[in-house]
Amino acid sequence: MRDENEEGLELAGNATFRHSNTALLSVSSVEAPRIVSSTDFDRRLASTLQRLKFPPRLLERVAGITHRRWWAAGTSFDDAAVEAGAKALAEAGIETSDVGLLINTSVTRRNLEPSVAVKIHHSLGLPSSAMNFDLANACLGFVNALTLAANMIDSGQIRYAVIVNGEDAQLTQEATLARLQRPETTRDDFNREFATLTLGSGAAAAVLGPADEHPGAHRVVGGVMRAGTEHHELCVGGIDGMNTDTKGLLDGGLQLVVDAWQEAQPEWDWAAMDRYVTHQVSNAYTQAIIDAIDLDPDKVPITFPHWGNVGPASLPMTLAAEAQSLGSGDRVLCMGVGSGLNTAMLEIVW
C-alpha cells in the first residue's frame, strides 16, 4: 500500500525514497597530507608517454587533475576514517553511547574479512548495541549508506547513525605506475589504466539523527536510485589496479543519470536547486553532466583538480567543503554514479 508521500509517483525503473524524520547533523572530511602532482606522474611515465606519442601534461589536460593526495607514512585509510568519524560526532554533539549504527563505505580494504567497520567501531568507542558493517557499492556507497541509515532512523530502529569512508590510492597507483613503465606497455594498456592515475586519498564522515530532536538541522528529504547493471564490466578494480573503458563508462553513466533525472523531475523539481554536489571524477565527466541536464555550472562545486577522484569519499568531502557557504533553507542535491553501473540522487535541505 502506498502512503500519502508516494501518491502520484510514476517512476518506472527508479527506486524512490522519501524520509520523514531524518536530519544530517554534521559532515566532515580529512585531507591526506602528502600532495602528489600530476607532473610527478608525468615525470615517472616520461619514457612511456614519449614512446607511445602521448602529449605532455596528459593527466592535467585530459582529466583536469593537477594533483591528488596520499596519506603520511604510518597512517592507514581506516585510521583516517576513524578520525573523520570522531570529528563528525564532535561537530554534531552526539555521544558515542547514543549511536545505533555505523556503516563503513570504503572501497579500500586490506583483507576480505573481517569488515573494515569493526576496527572503526572499536576505535570510536561505540557501544556493543551499535550495529556495524561495510556497505560496498563502488563510488556510490556513501550515498547508499545515507539512505539506508535514514530509513532506519525514520522507522525508529535507531536514533543516530555514523557513516564513514576512508580511501588510500597510493598502493594501487604505485603498482599501476610500475606496470605502465614496462617497455611492452601499449596505448591500449595505458588507456585502460589511465583512470587509476586520477584517484586520490581522503576520508569523510557524516552523522544522521532524528529531525524532530534537532530543529534547524539539515533535513534529508529523499531521492531516487537507478541501476544500469548491463554495464558491470566497464570498470573493474582491484588492489593492484583498475581497468576502465573510459568512454563506455562516461556514455553509460551519462545515459543512466539523464534517464533517472528525467523520470524524477516532475515529482522532485530538482531544476532549481541551490547546489549540486556531484561525485568528483574529471573535467569531461562533470561537464557532460552539466550539459546533459542543463545545470548552472556556478552551482556545481569542483574539488577533483586538487583531490583527484577520492572514490565514495569525494562527494561527502565536497559537501563538507561547501557547508560553510550554504544557508538555511538551501536545497542541495547529492548526485553520484558508481561502477556497475548505479546512480543515486539525494536531496538535503540545509
Side-chain angles (χ1 to χ4, degrees), residues 146-175:
L146 291 174
T147 297
L148 176 60
N151 286 337
M152 295 183 70
I153 291 169
D154 286 347
S155 70
Q157 290 181 293
I158 60 171
R159 290 181 66 217
Y160 297 102
V162 183
I163 316 300
V164 297
N165 183 276
E167 302 297 342
D168 188 347
Q170 181 177 354
L171 289 178
T172 301
Q173 289 179 326
E174 293 278 18

Short mmCIF file of all heavy atoms in Angstrom, two decimals, residues 146-175:
data_model
loop_
_atom_site.label_atom_id
_atom_site.label_comp_id
_atom_site.label_asym_id
_atom_site.label_seq_id
_atom_site.Cartn_x
_atom_site.Cartn_y
_atom_site.Cartn_z
N LEU A 146 23.73 6.67 3.42
CA LEU A 146 22.87 7.74 3.95
C LEU A 146 21.40 7.35 3.85
O LEU A 146 20.63 7.54 4.79
CB LEU A 146 23.12 9.04 3.18
CG LEU A 146 24.47 9.73 3.38
CD1 LEU A 146 24.60 10.92 2.44
CD2 LEU A 146 24.67 10.18 4.82
N THR A 147 21.02 6.78 2.70
CA THR A 147 19.63 6.37 2.51
C THR A 147 19.24 5.24 3.44
O THR A 147 18.17 5.25 4.06
CB THR A 147 19.40 5.95 1.04
OG1 THR A 147 19.62 7.09 0.19
CG2 THR A 147 18.00 5.42 0.82
N LEU A 148 20.10 4.25 3.56
CA LEU A 148 19.82 3.11 4.44
C LEU A 148 19.68 3.57 5.89
O LEU A 148 18.73 3.17 6.59
CB LEU A 148 20.94 2.07 4.32
CG LEU A 148 20.85 0.86 5.23
CD1 LEU A 148 19.57 0.08 4.99
CD2 LEU A 148 22.07 -0.05 5.03
N ALA A 149 20.60 4.40 6.35
CA ALA A 149 20.55 4.88 7.73
C ALA A 149 19.31 5.73 7.96
O ALA A 149 18.66 5.63 9.02
CB ALA A 149 21.81 5.69 8.04
N ALA A 150 18.96 6.56 6.97
CA ALA A 150 17.76 7.39 7.12
C ALA A 150 16.50 6.55 7.24
O ALA A 150 15.60 6.87 8.03
CB ALA A 150 17.65 8.35 5.92
N ASN A 151 16.43 5.46 6.49
CA ASN A 151 15.28 4.57 6.61
C ASN A 151 15.17 3.98 8.01
O ASN A 151 14.07 3.84 8.56
CB ASN A 151 15.39 3.43 5.58
CG ASN A 151 15.09 3.89 4.17
OD1 ASN A 151 14.41 4.89 3.97
ND2 ASN A 151 15.59 3.18 3.18
N MET A 152 16.31 3.64 8.60
CA MET A 152 16.30 3.05 9.94
C MET A 152 15.96 4.08 11.01
O MET A 152 15.29 3.77 12.00
CB MET A 152 17.65 2.39 10.22
CG MET A 152 17.95 1.21 9.31
SD MET A 152 19.51 0.38 9.70
CE MET A 152 19.09 -0.40 11.27
N ILE A 153 16.38 5.32 10.81
CA ILE A 153 16.02 6.38 11.75
C ILE A 153 14.52 6.68 11.63
O ILE A 153 13.81 6.82 12.64
CB ILE A 153 16.86 7.64 11.49
CG1 ILE A 153 18.32 7.37 11.87
CG2 ILE A 153 16.32 8.84 12.27
CD1 ILE A 153 19.29 8.46 11.41
N ASP A 154 14.03 6.78 10.40
CA ASP A 154 12.60 7.04 10.19
C ASP A 154 11.72 5.97 10.84
O ASP A 154 10.64 6.27 11.38
CB ASP A 154 12.28 7.07 8.68
CG ASP A 154 12.76 8.33 8.01
OD1 ASP A 154 13.13 9.29 8.70
OD2 ASP A 154 12.77 8.36 6.75
N SER A 155 12.17 4.73 10.79
CA SER A 155 11.37 3.62 11.33
C SER A 155 11.46 3.52 12.85
O SER A 155 10.72 2.76 13.46
CB SER A 155 11.84 2.30 10.72
OG SER A 155 13.12 1.94 11.20
N GLY A 156 12.39 4.26 13.45
CA GLY A 156 12.55 4.22 14.90
C GLY A 156 13.45 3.11 15.39
O GLY A 156 13.59 2.91 16.60
N GLN A 157 14.12 2.39 14.47
CA GLN A 157 15.02 1.32 14.89
C GLN A 157 16.27 1.85 15.59
O GLN A 157 16.80 1.22 16.49
CB GLN A 157 15.43 0.47 13.68
CG GLN A 157 14.31 -0.39 13.12
CD GLN A 157 14.79 -1.21 11.94
OE1 GLN A 157 15.12 -0.69 10.89
NE2 GLN A 157 14.85 -2.51 12.13
N ILE A 158 16.74 3.02 15.13
CA ILE A 158 17.92 3.65 15.73
C ILE A 158 17.66 5.14 15.87
O ILE A 158 16.74 5.68 15.24
CB ILE A 158 19.20 3.44 14.89
CG1 ILE A 158 19.01 4.05 13.49
CG2 ILE A 158 19.56 1.96 14.79
CD1 ILE A 158 20.27 4.10 12.66
N ARG A 159 18.47 5.80 16.69
CA ARG A 159 18.38 7.26 16.80
C ARG A 159 19.48 7.95 16.00
O ARG A 159 19.22 8.93 15.31
CB ARG A 159 18.47 7.69 18.27
CG ARG A 159 17.24 7.30 19.09
CD ARG A 159 17.40 7.78 20.53
NE ARG A 159 17.41 9.23 20.64
CZ ARG A 159 18.17 9.92 21.49
NH1 ARG A 159 19.00 9.28 22.30
NH2 ARG A 159 18.11 11.24 21.53
N TYR A 160 20.71 7.44 16.11
CA TYR A 160 21.83 8.10 15.44
C TYR A 160 22.66 7.10 14.65
O TYR A 160 22.86 5.96 15.09
CB TYR A 160 22.72 8.83 16.45
CG TYR A 160 21.99 9.93 17.17
CD1 TYR A 160 21.51 9.74 18.47
CD2 TYR A 160 21.74 11.15 16.55
CE1 TYR A 160 20.81 10.74 19.13
CE2 TYR A 160 21.04 12.15 17.20
CZ TYR A 160 20.58 11.95 18.49
OH TYR A 160 19.89 12.94 19.13
N ALA A 161 23.14 7.56 13.50
CA ALA A 161 23.99 6.73 12.64
C ALA A 161 25.23 7.52 12.25
O ALA A 161 25.18 8.74 12.05
CB ALA A 161 23.24 6.30 11.39
N VAL A 162 26.34 6.81 12.14
CA VAL A 162 27.60 7.39 11.66
C VAL A 162 27.97 6.67 10.36
O VAL A 162 28.06 5.44 10.34
CB VAL A 162 28.74 7.24 12.68
CG1 VAL A 162 30.01 7.92 12.16
CG2 VAL A 162 28.35 7.81 14.02
N ILE A 163 28.17 7.44 9.30
CA ILE A 163 28.61 6.91 8.02
C ILE A 163 30.06 7.35 7.82
O ILE A 163 30.36 8.55 7.96
CB ILE A 163 27.77 7.44 6.84
CG1 ILE A 163 26.27 7.41 7.18
CG2 ILE A 163 28.08 6.66 5.57
CD1 ILE A 163 25.73 6.05 7.50
N VAL A 164 30.95 6.43 7.53
CA VAL A 164 32.37 6.78 7.38
C VAL A 164 32.92 6.23 6.07
O VAL A 164 32.39 5.27 5.50
CB VAL A 164 33.22 6.25 8.56
CG1 VAL A 164 32.80 6.87 9.87
CG2 VAL A 164 33.15 4.73 8.64
N ASN A 165 34.01 6.85 5.64
CA ASN A 165 34.72 6.37 4.46
C ASN A 165 36.17 6.80 4.53
O ASN A 165 36.45 7.95 4.87
CB ASN A 165 34.09 6.91 3.17
CG ASN A 165 34.77 6.36 1.94
OD1 ASN A 165 35.78 6.87 1.49
ND2 ASN A 165 34.21 5.30 1.38
N GLY A 166 37.07 5.89 4.20
CA GLY A 166 38.49 6.22 4.08
C GLY A 166 39.04 5.54 2.84
O GLY A 166 38.78 4.35 2.63
N GLU A 167 39.77 6.28 2.03
CA GLU A 167 40.35 5.72 0.81
C GLU A 167 41.84 5.98 0.73
O GLU A 167 42.32 7.04 1.15
CB GLU A 167 39.66 6.30 -0.43
CG GLU A 167 38.16 6.09 -0.49
CD GLU A 167 37.75 4.62 -0.55
OE1 GLU A 167 38.59 3.78 -0.89
OE2 GLU A 167 36.57 4.35 -0.26
N ASP A 168 42.57 5.00 0.19
CA ASP A 168 44.02 5.12 0.01
C ASP A 168 44.36 4.68 -1.40
O ASP A 168 44.25 3.50 -1.74
CB ASP A 168 44.75 4.25 1.04
CG ASP A 168 46.25 4.48 1.04
OD1 ASP A 168 46.76 5.12 0.09
OD2 ASP A 168 46.92 4.02 1.97
N ALA A 169 44.76 5.63 -2.23
CA ALA A 169 45.06 5.34 -3.63
C ALA A 169 46.51 4.97 -3.87
O ALA A 169 46.86 4.51 -4.97
CB ALA A 169 44.70 6.56 -4.49
N GLN A 170 47.39 5.13 -2.87
CA GLN A 170 48.82 5.04 -3.14
C GLN A 170 49.27 3.68 -3.66
O GLN A 170 49.96 3.60 -4.68
CB GLN A 170 49.61 5.39 -1.87
CG GLN A 170 51.12 5.35 -2.11
CD GLN A 170 51.94 5.76 -0.90
OE1 GLN A 170 51.37 6.20 0.11
NE2 GLN A 170 53.24 5.63 -0.99
N LEU A 171 48.91 2.60 -2.98
CA LEU A 171 49.39 1.28 -3.38
C LEU A 171 48.92 0.94 -4.79
O LEU A 171 49.70 0.41 -5.61
CB LEU A 171 48.92 0.22 -2.39
CG LEU A 171 49.58 0.25 -1.01
CD1 LEU A 171 48.97 -0.83 -0.12
CD2 LEU A 171 51.09 0.06 -1.11
N THR A 172 47.68 1.23 -5.08
CA THR A 172 47.14 0.95 -6.41
C THR A 172 47.86 1.78 -7.47
O THR A 172 48.21 1.28 -8.55
CB THR A 172 45.63 1.24 -6.45
OG1 THR A 172 44.98 0.44 -5.47
CG2 THR A 172 45.04 0.93 -7.81
N GLN A 173 48.11 3.04 -7.17
CA GLN A 173 48.78 3.90 -8.15
C GLN A 173 50.24 3.54 -8.32
O GLN A 173 50.77 3.58 -9.44
CB GLN A 173 48.60 5.37 -7.75
CG GLN A 173 47.16 5.83 -7.95
CD GLN A 173 46.93 7.27 -7.56
OE1 GLN A 173 47.53 7.78 -6.62
NE2 GLN A 173 46.02 7.93 -8.25
N GLU A 174 50.92 3.15 -7.24
CA GLU A 174 52.32 2.72 -7.36
C GLU A 174 52.42 1.49 -8.24
O GLU A 174 53.30 1.39 -9.11
CB GLU A 174 52.90 2.43 -5.97
CG GLU A 174 53.06 3.65 -5.06
CD GLU A 174 54.33 4.44 -5.35
OE1 GLU A 174 54.91 4.27 -6.44
OE2 GLU A 174 54.72 5.22 -4.47
N ALA A 175 51.52 0.54 -8.05
CA ALA A 175 51.53 -0.68 -8.86
C ALA A 175 51.23 -0.35 -10.32
O ALA A 175 51.84 -0.92 -11.24
CB ALA A 175 50.51 -1.68 -8.32
#
